[in-house]
């Protein structure tokens, strides 16, 4: 049965008259920091310059962020709360994704890239998988085995939604200053999932073969031996035992019907886009399912 809280969240909120604060968030999209109902949100906008140039585009990043985050939530991850909304700017209504800030005076986010910088001062850590694993092994500030498990669980769900940008600034740890407790942070920043560059008229022209190619030929920003990892190829090869264990841990929690129902409930999206997202996720799910039963 679909999660009622998630489905209820599909109601569009008008953020136009929310209180604006100076924006302190990093990242490449256009964004505002807004206070709505006493909660602080990072609100992401489509970028009209990128829409025009189409070389690095986030046209539909609001949908990508919202669906990607909620797929993680449906699976059972602690996840940043996201809300689809609208914002009127110069007479034009924009569809935005508002991401609730999960930090406060006591809880501070430390992105993995900061941990990497402090763990090995003699080495620049980027997205090479071995380097990331080495930092996790060497750091004395985190729980190694728990972090490995969370990382690979995250990798599997990123593969499901086709997140191409889980770089070292897009995941991290939450430190509670009062208790000193450090835990894997809620999942955040899924705006590069689900092919945000594709517009509705492009989606409507995609045939079955092209759809399968899009589903299968999706690359993580993580690298192995200097080459970006193709999610589905990597999973099908079953060479990484940590990845295999993650699939065994979480596959049964991937509730495909619930994910499909959640997407169906998004009123601000076209039918073609809903079906596109559902088909992408289903094809990847079937690959993960096949591997699950093999291992």
């Amino acid at each position: 049965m679909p999660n009622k809280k998630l489905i209820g969240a599909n109601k569009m909120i008008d953020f136009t008259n929310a209180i604006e604060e100076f924006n302190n968030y990093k990242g490449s999209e256009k964004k505002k920091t807004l206070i709505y109902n006493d909660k602080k949100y990072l609100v992401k906008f489509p970028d009209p310059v990128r829409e025009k140039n189409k070389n690095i585009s986030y046209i539909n990043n609001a949908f990508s962020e919202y669906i990607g985050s909620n797929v993680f939530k449906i699976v059972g991850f602690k996840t940043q709360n996201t809300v689809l909304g609208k914002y009127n700017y110069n007479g034009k209504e924009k569809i935005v994704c508002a991401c609730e800030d999960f930090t406060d005076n006591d809880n501070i986010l430390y992105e993995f890239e900061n941990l990497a910088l402090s763990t090995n001062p003699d080495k620049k850590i980027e997205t090479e998988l071995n380097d990331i694993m080495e930092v996790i092994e060497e750091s004395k500030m985190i729980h190694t085995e728990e972090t490995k498990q969370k990382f690979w669980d995250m990798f599997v769900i990123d593969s499901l939604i086709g997140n191409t940008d889980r770089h070292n600034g897009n995941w991290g740890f939450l430190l509670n200053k009062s208790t000193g407790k450090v835990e894997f942070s809620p999942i955040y920043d899924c705006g590069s999932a689900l092919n945000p560059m594709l517009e509705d008229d492009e989606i409507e022209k995609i045939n079955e073969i092209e759809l399968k190619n899009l589903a299968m030929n999706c690359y993580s920003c993580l690298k192995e031996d200097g080459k970006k990892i193709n999610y589905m190829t990597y999973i099908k090869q079953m060479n990484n035992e940590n990845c295999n264990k993650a699939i065994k841990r979480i596959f049964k929690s991937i509730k495909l019907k619930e994910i499909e129902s959640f997407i169906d409930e998004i009123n601000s999206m076209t039918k073609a886009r809903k079906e596109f997202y559902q088909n992408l996720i289903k094809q990847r799910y079937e690959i993960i399912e096949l591997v699950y039963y093999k291992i």
Side-chain angles (χ1 to χ4, degrees):
M1 183 175 180
N3 185 314
K4 291 181 180 178
K5 287 187 178 179
L6 292 178
I7 287 178
N10 287 325
K11 187 177 179 180
M12 295 284 280
I13 292 174
D14 190 346
F15 286 94
T16 307
N17 296 315
I19 299 167
E20 185 170 358
E21 292 188 344
F22 283 110
N23 182 59
N24 226 0
Y25 298 108
K26 297 184 290 183
S28 52
E29 301 106 321
K30 298 284 187 181
K31 56 180 65 70
K32 287 179 179 289
T33 299
L34 301 176
I35 308 298
Y36 181 84
N37 282 353
D38 298 322
K39 291 181 179 178
K40 186 176 180 180
Y41 291 93
L42 161 62
V43 178
K44 296 184 178 182
F45 288 74
D47 189 330
V49 175
R50 295 182 182 196
E51 286 179 26
K52 185 178 178 181
N53 292 336
K54 288 295 291 282
N55 57 336
I56 309 176
S57 175
Y58 288 87
I59 296 170
N60 294 289
N61 61 310
F63 295 135
S64 297
E65 186 78 60
Y66 181 59
I67 296 171
S69 294
N70 280 291
V71 168
F72 270 102
K73 188 170 287 187
I74 288 167
V75 174
F77 281 76
K78 287 185 179 179
T79 308
Q80 182 179 45
N81 290 324
T82 56
V83 179
L84 269 185
K86 56 187 178 179
Y87 190 98
N88 285 294
Y89 181 76
N90 287 342
K92 294 180 180 179
E93 187 174 281
K94 308 278 189 182
I95 292 178
V96 299
C97 185
C99 307
E100 187 179 339
D101 194 330
F102 53 79
T103 64
D104 53 35
N105 290 334
D106 277 333
N107 295 286
I108 302 171
L109 174 66
Y110 282 98
E111 295 166 344
F112 180 79
E113 62 185 4
N114 293 329
L115 182 70
L117 285 169
S118 63
T119 300
N120 188 341
D122 295 326
K123 187 174 184 180
K124 183 176 175 61
I125 305 298
E126 294 183 348
T127 58
E128 184 70 31
L129 190 54
N130 284 341
D131 290 342
I132 291 170
M133 291 298 107
E134 190 176 284
V135 170
I136 293 173
E137 291 279 358
E138 288 184 6
S139 178
K140 298 175 182 178
M141 292 177 283
I142 59 174
H143 189 285
T144 298
E145 285 309 310
E146 181 183 330
T147 301
K148 274 188 185 177
Q149 287 186 15
K150 294 284 189 183
F151 175 87
W152 285 107
D153 291 354
M154 179 174 68
F155 178 90
V156 172
I157 304 306
D158 273 336
S159 78
L160 184 71
I161 62 174
N163 185 1
T164 59
D165 199 33
R166 186 69 69 194
H167 59 70
N168 295 339
N170 280 349
W171 65 283
F173 306 90
L174 209 57
L175 167 66
N176 186 295
K177 291 195 297 184
S178 299
T179 64
K181 182 181 178 182
V182 177
E183 60 182 353
F184 205 87
S185 78
I187 299 295
Y188 62 96
D189 213 331
C190 298
S192 294
L194 295 167
N195 300 80
M197 289 186 284
L198 290 175
E199 299 181 72
D200 286 344
D201 60 345
E202 294 174 296
I203 284 172
E204 289 168 2
K205 296 172 187 174
I206 294 173
N207 61 40
E208 286 186 25
I209 293 172
E210 290 168 332
L211 179 67
K212 185 172 182 178
N213 286 336
L214 282 173
M216 298 301 111
N217 296 317
C218 180
Y219 288 80
S220 169
C221 69
L222 295 172
K223 296 178 180 179
E224 197 165 63
D225 300 323
K227 295 180 180 178
K228 285 187 176 182
I229 291 172
N230 179 307
Y231 278 121
M232 291 299 110
T233 300
Y234 195 82
I235 284 172
K236 284 194 290 184
Q237 288 172 339
M238 298 186 291
N239 290 333
N240 188 305
E241 193 56 33
N242 286 313
C243 185
N244 293 343
K245 287 177 180 177
I247 291 170
K248 287 174 72 174
R249 271 193 306 273
I250 67 170
F251 172 73
K252 291 289 188 180
S253 299
I254 303 174
K255 304 178 183 79
L256 185 62
K257 293 298 182 186
E258 188 170 333
I259 292 168
E260 290 173 342
S261 295
F262 173 77
I263 292 171
D264 271 334
E265 292 287 331
I266 304 175
N267 297 325
S268 52
M269 215 159 55
T270 63
K271 183 181 177 183
R273 182 167 292 278
K274 290 178 185 181
E275 290 176 352
F276 173 66
Y277 289 156
Q278 289 167 334
N279 286 331
L280 275 181
I281 290 171
K282 186 176 184 224
Q283 291 203 36
R284 292 169 182 151
Y285 172 88
E286 288 172 352
I287 296 294
I288 298 168
E289 180 181 39
L290 185 66
V291 171
Y292 172 79
Y293 285 110
K294 281 185 177 179
I295 58 179

